């Protein structure tokens, strides 16, 4: 790398797509491949798959993608806000008519290309399962945790040189690859399409798939769109109803990219066509069957978390999620809530400072209900039933099984004063798991440092990256209180992130980023 280059981890470059130069070397926008008002073609991966993907999404939609992020209204932000970077007089491509037809919303930051979403960085973790049963179980139990971890890792308060009124990236990526037609969106009557589809192909999960007896039909999405014919074919081939429903839902989508050689001959020993659709359904948890030519096994991918500024933070969240999966399997935990509430939680996670100011639906009692075990009465051979140590899981009204919680309550637990049956908290559950296995003292101390970061982020004692970045911008001498993140502010922000990453002063009380780390943890 050049002397003035350094690798950092931010979800997005703050001025990507802004007016002026934001790449070196500079390239003009509005190229033939992306047709973006704001981004040059050269910013995209040159492999044929990526410009083809962007072009096919545009072609299927009949227009460019529309990404509108609410702008943060500061003291001097013009209101109503009209994105000043939008050129309504551009006539290079037919899609330039989009903005004249209302694509850019008032009081929003407008973006028009796949790269604004898929150019984001995130923290994804893939878990290996011992078999398909365990994989399906983890897929279900991790699903309600997705929105919680999205809000807890919030790190994206800037888009295209403007402060946004959201803290996370998820919806922006969802819009960046949304290939739904006007009919599928419900904007026009269905003509050549089969369904109205409520979500982008990049969205939160819509299915549960485990054959867990605790999975109630009331948890499922009553309006789930599936290909009924495909589901029946899968069932005829031996697939159970839950898994057939899952794939019949994923396969309502059209493939976005197909290579000519894959159409010449159908090779049933390969899974290329399956992976083509599977890999372009970007849900917040992905169930990954084994490749046909590998013994890698069944995997589950946890996708919602935002990338963090330092390796320490990324390690902390990665290790925490691994430990959560171990606790789920070890204690047979039950986090089921209706899947529609998970979707609602994903929306809630986008709110500014959601980690402290919002409440999320979560299950009240995660522990399994065990049937009473007989206790022998000695020589008589008779037996009595031992008392149940925990109250049985209710099988009445589903709404009684979950409630609204703060993230602090979900991560750290409720106090016994707040309820007669307090939620134990994810970190206490992880600590209970660690206490049940043979972990040496040194490893426990290392893990404690990671868990302490997450504990304090949830309580608000330490800031999220989104809050720190927003505070840095608003406190900068060049910031005018108008929501604009200028070149000087952006340069100093990135330089400060570099200093934190290098560990020159980051993490020390009074040093760069201390609000995110407190006492030095690395």
């Amino acid at each position: 790398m050049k002397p003035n280059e350094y690798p950092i981890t931010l979800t997005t470059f703050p001025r990507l797509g802004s007016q002026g130069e934001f790449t070196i070397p500079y390239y003009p926008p509005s190229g033939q491949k992306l047709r973006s008002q704001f981004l040059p073609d050269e910013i995209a991966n040159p492999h044929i798959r990526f410009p083809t993907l962007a072009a096919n999404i545009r072609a299927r939609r009949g227009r460019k993608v529309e990404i509108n992020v609410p702008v943060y209204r500061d003291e001097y932000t013009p209101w109503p806000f009209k994105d000043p970077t939008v050129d309504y007089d551009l006539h290079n491509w037919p899609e330039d008519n989009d903005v004249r037809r209302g694509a850019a919303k008032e009081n929003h930051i407008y973006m028009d290309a796949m790269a604004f979403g898929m150019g984001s960085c995130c923290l994804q973790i893939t878990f290996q399962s011992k078999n398909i049963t365990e994989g399906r179980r983890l897929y279900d139990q991790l699903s309600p945790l997705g929105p919680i971890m999205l809000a807890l890792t919030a790190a994206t308060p800037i888009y295209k040189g403007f402060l946004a009124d959201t803290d996370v990236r998820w919806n922006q990526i969802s819009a960046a690859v949304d290939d739904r037609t006007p009919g599928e969106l419900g904007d026009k009557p269905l003509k050549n399409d089969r369904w109205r589809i409520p979500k982008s192909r990049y969205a939160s999960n819509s299915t549960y798939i485990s054959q867990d007896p605790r999975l109630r039909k009331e948890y499922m999405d009553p309006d789930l769109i599936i290909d009924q014919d495909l589901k029946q074919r899968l069932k005829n081939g031996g697939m159970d109803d839950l898994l057939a429903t899952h794939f019949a839902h994923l396969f309502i989508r059209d493939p976005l990219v197909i290579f000519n050689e894959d159409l010449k001959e159908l090779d049933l020993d390969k899974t290329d066509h399956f992976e083509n659709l599977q890999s372009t359904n970007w849900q917040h948890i992905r169930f990954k069957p084994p490749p046909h030519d590998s013994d890698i096994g069944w995997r589950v991918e946890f996708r919602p978390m935002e990338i963090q500024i330092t390796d320490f933070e990324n390690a902390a969240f990665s290790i925490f999620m691994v430990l959560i999966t171990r606790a789920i399997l070890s204690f047979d935990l039950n986090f089921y809530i209706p899947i529609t509430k998970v979707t609602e939680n994903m929306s809630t996670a986008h709110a500014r400072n959601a980690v402290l100011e919002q409440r999320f639906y979560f299950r009240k009692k995660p522990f399994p209900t065990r049937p009473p075990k007989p206790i022998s009465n000695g020589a008589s051979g008779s037996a009595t039933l031992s008392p149940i140590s925990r109250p049985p899981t209710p099988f009445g009204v589903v709404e009684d099984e979950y409630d609204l919680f703060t993230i602090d309550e979900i991560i750290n637990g409720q106090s016994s004063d707040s309820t007669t049956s307090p939620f134990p908290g994810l970190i206490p559950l992880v600590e209970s798991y660690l206490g049940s296995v043979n972990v040496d003292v040194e490893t426990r101390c290392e893990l404690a440092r990671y868990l302490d970061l997450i504990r304090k982020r949830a309580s608000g004692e330490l800031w999220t990256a989104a809050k720190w970045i927003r505070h840095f911008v608003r406190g900068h001498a060049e910031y005018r209180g108008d929501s604009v993140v200028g070149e000087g502010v952006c340069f100093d922000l990135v330089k400060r992130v570099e200093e934190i990453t290098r560990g020159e002063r980051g993490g020390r009380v009074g040093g760069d980023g201390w609000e995110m780390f407190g006492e030095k943890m690395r």
Side-chain angles (χ1 to χ4, degrees):
M1 300 182 73
K2 296 178 181 179
N4 65 340
E5 294 178 342
Y6 190 80
I8 60 174
T9 50
L10 289 174
T11 49
T12 61
F13 180 68
R15 286 182 55 82
L16 178 70
S18 60
Q19 291 179 327
E21 298 186 15
F22 53 86
T23 63
I24 298 175
Y26 169 79
Y27 295 101
S30 194
Q32 191 270 338
K33 295 177 181 177
L34 297 184
R35 304 191 180 188
S36 170
Q37 280 203 16
F38 314 108
L39 299 178
D41 285 353
E42 289 79 4
I43 205 169
N45 189 312
H47 189 283
I48 189 63
R49 171 182 170 85
F50 298 97
T52 303
L53 198 61
N56 287 353
I57 289 173
R58 282 199 313 272
R60 196 176 189 283
R61 285 175 56 86
R63 59 205 185 286
K64 289 189 289 188
V65 295
E66 296 175 10
I67 311 167
N68 284 281
V69 184
V71 71
Y72 173 69
R73 187 177 184 179
D74 213 337
E75 185 176 1
Y76 299 111
T77 304
W79 210 260
F81 175 86
K82 297 183 184 299
D83 189 333
T85 67
V86 177
D87 185 353
Y88 289 90
D89 297 318
L90 190 67
H91 294 274
N92 291 345
W93 308 104
E95 294 90 344
D96 291 332
N97 287 322
D98 290 357
V99 294
R100 291 183 282 277
R101 295 169 179 155
K105 294 181 180 179
E106 191 174 85
N107 301 328
H108 286 71
I109 307 159
Y110 170 69
M111 294 165 281
D112 65 350
M114 178 179 170
F116 281 111
M118 286 301 194
S120 304
C121 299
C122 65
L123 180 63
Q124 294 180 0
I125 307 173
T126 301
F127 301 104
Q128 179 72 60
S129 303
K130 67 181 182 181
N131 52 39
I132 184 174
T133 301
E134 184 176 282
R136 293 170 71 167
R137 183 175 166 198
L138 283 177
Y139 176 91
D140 281 13
Q141 296 304 325
L142 289 174
S143 189
L145 300 182
I148 312 307
M149 299 309 297
L150 176 62
L152 191 58
T153 56
T156 320
I158 304 173
Y159 274 100
K160 215 178 67 172
F162 298 101
L163 283 175
D165 204 32
T166 57
D167 274 358
V168 299
R169 80 202 186 285
W170 188 267
N171 281 350
Q172 285 68 267
I173 310 178
S174 177
V177 293
D178 190 354
D179 69 332
R180 288 175 295 171
T181 67
E184 289 169 338
L185 285 165
D187 295 338
K188 292 183 178 179
L190 288 172
K191 187 176 180 181
N192 298 318
D193 306 301
R194 293 187 286 174
W195 306 284
R196 288 215 169 94
I197 303 176
K199 292 181 180 180
S200 165
R201 63 196 302 149
Y202 194 115
S204 61
N205 289 17
S206 296
T207 59
Y208 288 126
I209 63 174
S210 176
Q211 293 177 305
D212 190 327
R214 299 171 299 184
L215 174 57
R216 302 175 62 176
K217 65 178 182 179
E218 293 92 341
Y219 302 154
M220 311 301 277
D221 184 352
D223 301 315
L224 184 70
I225 305 298
I226 65 171
D227 185 328
Q228 291 286 359
D229 292 339
L230 176 61
K231 177 180 176 179
Q232 189 58 53
R233 288 179 64 189
L234 293 172
K235 292 180 68 174
N236 292 345
M239 189 176 288
D240 62 82
D241 187 81
L242 284 169
L243 207 54
T245 299
H246 171 75
F247 287 115
H249 170 65
L250 297 187
F251 280 41
I252 63 173
R253 313 288 179 174
D254 285 344
L256 290 176
V257 178
I258 298 178
F259 294 102
N260 286 330
E261 55 267 28
D262 291 333
L263 296 177
K264 292 179 180 178
E265 183 178 352
L266 179 61
D267 187 344
L268 296 179
D269 291 328
K270 294 184 178 180
T271 56
D272 293 359
H273 291 294
F274 168 79
E275 291 296 346
N276 193 6
L277 282 168
Q278 160 89 346
S279 65
T280 55
N281 273 275
W282 296 282
Q283 299 191 325
H284 81 279
I285 314 290
R286 178 176 282 162
F287 182 64
K288 304 179 75 169
H292 77 286
D293 56 353
S294 171
D295 60 357
I296 195 171
W298 300 85
R299 293 155 295 151
V300 176
E301 188 176 64
F302 189 78
R303 303 169 47 82
M305 293 192 292
E306 308 248 293
I307 198 73
Q308 304 296 289
I309 291 175
T310 65
D311 291 345
F312 174 79
E313 297 165 276
N314 289 314
F317 283 106
S318 299
I319 289 170
F320 176 64
M321 289 310 304
V322 171
L323 293 175
I324 281 290
T325 64
R326 299 307 95 187
I328 288 171
L329 297 174
S330 179
F331 298 149
D332 196 20
L333 299 177
N334 178 9
F335 293 135
Y336 277 125
I337 60 173
I339 198 74
T340 54
K341 294 302 180 184
V342 177
T343 301
E344 191 173 335
N345 281 348
M346 285 293 282
S347 178
T348 301
H350 285 72
R352 179 163 41 89
N353 206 26
V355 66
L356 297 182
E357 298 179 7
Q358 300 296 320
R359 300 171 77 203
F360 295 78
Y361 292 104
F362 212 74
R363 190 174 185 88
K364 297 178 186 178
K365 299 174 182 179
F367 296 111
T369 301
R370 301 298 186 196
K373 297 180 180 180
I375 300 176
S376 174
N377 285 336
S380 67
S382 62
T384 59
L385 295 180
S386 63
I388 300 175
S389 59
R390 302 185 184 98
T393 302
F395 289 96
V397 180
V398 168
E399 287 75 13
D400 291 340
E401 298 179 1
Y402 59 89
D403 204 347
L404 286 166
F405 293 82
T406 65
I407 286 186
D408 185 28
E409 291 172 328
I410 294 170
I411 296 295
N412 295 319
Q414 293 177 301
S415 68
S416 56
D417 297 334
S418 63
T419 176
T420 56
S421 183
F423 181 77
L426 298 181
I427 286 183
L429 287 171
V430 163
E431 290 174 331
S432 294
Y433 164 73
L434 292 172
S436 70
V437 295
N438 187 21
V439 178
D440 62 83
V441 174
E442 183 178 356
T443 301
R444 283 297 296 267
C445 290
E446 286 294 312
L447 293 174
R449 294 168 59 241
Y450 294 129
L451 296 178
D452 198 46
L453 173 74
I454 294 166
R455 178 184 290 111
K456 291 177 178 178
R457 286 277 176 92
S459 70
E461 183 177 342
L462 298 178
W463 293 2
T464 62
K467 183 174 182 178
W468 180 83
I469 291 170
R470 191 183 301 277
H471 178 79
F472 179 93
V473 169
R474 298 188 71 215
H476 195 281
E478 295 183 20
Y479 179 68
R480 299 177 180 177
D482 57 359
S483 306
V484 176
V485 182
E487 290 185 15
V489 179
C490 180
F491 178 87
D492 289 345
L493 171 62
V494 172
K495 190 66 179 176
R496 189 66 58 85
V497 168
E498 178 195 339
E499 293 170 357
I500 292 173
T501 305
R502 288 181 183 274
E504 293 173 352
R505 300 200 314 271
R508 294 185 180 90
V509 175
D512 293 326
W514 68 268
E515 301 96 336
M516 291 184 285
F517 309 112
E519 297 288 344
K520 185 172 178 61
M521 292 184 177
R522 287 177 286 169

